[in-house]
Amino acid sequence: MSRVAYVNGRYLPLAQAGVSILDRAFVFGDGVYEVCLVRGGALIDELRHFARLKTSLAALRIAAPVGEAALKRILREVVARNRVSDGLVYLQISRGAARRDHGFPPPGVAPGLVVTAKSLDPRLGEANAERGVAVITLPDERWAHPHIKSLQLLPNVLAKQAAREAGAFEAWLVDRDGFVTEGSSTNAWIVAADGVLATRQADQSILRGVTRATLIDVAAAAGLRFEERPFTLEEAYAAREAFLSSATTIATPVVAIDGRPIGDGRPGPTTMALRRKFAAAAARS
Ligand code: PDD
């Protein structure tokens, strides 16, 4: 079965789906995106993804291409047409196609909307969780607004590739003061040496992860001691546990940072408990 994409009002086989070479997403990376987990055919935490999408669009002054109800229908249609039971749905909105000029295009240029979906074998994620993954660290060289989920991902792309070439799963980014911000496509967490769960506060320096928000709910419901605060790389090396989170990784244990084992070098109990409880806490729609 060939995959189907939604592109500016039409459902097309992936091989025939395309946008104008003048699309500003292509020319300038001028757009935003969301990635939503699909489990058993249901969209996970869709409303939180929509809320963040609204914030990203507002921050960049891009108009929504369709209303929320229509967008919901399109996401479901793309998931259904691709027969995705477990996987993800990707949506991307650009400022539209117009003659190349750095300034915004004239009024009347419609924003572009592309939606794709793909299946992912959940057993691969489970295998990663059971083994735990390694991360490396790199300087955070991104712009000042990583809280906007924009298409400008070159530093993230280079960081992920550096991780892969080092045999690691992810790169954690470290700010100029020695604090971990987040991963190239995931949020970063530790269970510190004092046993308190910590993740960086969601200010402008990180993406406000949807999975992060739901895991905070899970931690609160479980009565875990938890702090939103910056943590240093040194603190992460000395942590009892570390893990990363995102729509597709949920909570995945980090068992080594820069080649140093974290805790006893095996997935930690707090991480695994949060991961287990995630499904029940997340909204399905
Ligand atoms: N990445 N931080 C960054 C920089 C991210 O790109 C992501 C998501 C996250 C986690 O956010 P969430 O829990 O909402 O997925 C944190 C997506 C999955 C991606 O770019 O593919």
Side-chain angles (χ1 to χ4, degrees), residues 33 35 49 52 142 149 156 182-187 207 209-212 245-247:
Y33 75 106
V35 177
H49 284 285
R52 187 172 63 190
R142 299 173 301 163
K149 201 162 172 62
N156 309 59
E182 62 181 333
S184 71
S185 66
T186 56
N187 288 119
L207 186 75
V210 165
T211 318
R212 174 187 177 282
S245 71
S246 72

